[in-house]
Amino acid sequence: MLEFRTEGFNGYSTKYSPFFDSRIAVASAANFGLVGNGRLYILGLTPNGIVAEKWFDTQDSLYDIAWSEAHENQIVVASGDGSIKLFDIALDEFPIQSWQEHKREVFSVHWNLVSKDTFCSSSWDGTIKIVRVP
């Protein structure tokens, strides 16, 4: 069995890339998601084990992730501050887009498997949002 430790962060969601069977993303949060930062890990499965290829730190906890079904390097994250962020892992910093659609924590995101420019999110504010990526 392979193992990777998210030192200082607790994992909330893991997803395999739909494009690469050796790439995994992990949404995580410090302090069990109660208060503090989040981190998006991009992990690679290698013959020597699991390695962190890249990570992105955020100002609030991350609870869920969804790989884009159209772009191999894009992934959306559900954040504790009510935002949804789109990262391009080919870039080194910051999300390429952010939506402040919810009034409370976002706990779920999922790409539409048919209309690949659209994803949905759900939140503790009791709403479900459908977002089209330009």
Side-chain angles (χ1 to χ4, degrees), residues 6 26 41 62 76 80 87 94 96 108 122 132:
T6 56
V26 179
Y41 289 94
L62 300 181
V76 292
F87 286 90
F94 311 115
I96 59 172
S108 177
S122 64
R132 175 173 252 145

Side-chain angles (χ1 to χ4, degrees), residues 13-77:
S13 179
T14 59
K15 302 281 177 21
Y16 272 98
S17 165
F19 295 96
F20 303 103
D21 63 358
S22 63
R23 183 172 285 161
I24 298 173
V26 179
S28 65
N31 305 307
F32 303 98
L34 299 174
V35 64
N37 297 346
R39 181 173 285 170
L40 168 62
Y41 289 94
I42 306 301
L43 306 177
L45 304 178
T46 72
N48 297 324
I50 303 173
V51 297
E53 294 177 350
K54 187 171 278 197
W55 61 85
F56 300 92
D57 288 326
T58 61
Q59 291 184 357
D60 214 314
S61 302
L62 300 181
Y63 297 113
D64 197 19
I65 48 179
W67 287 98
S68 169
E69 293 289 326
H71 301 285
E72 64 190 36
N73 292 322
Q74 293 185 354
I75 186 168
V76 292
V77 298

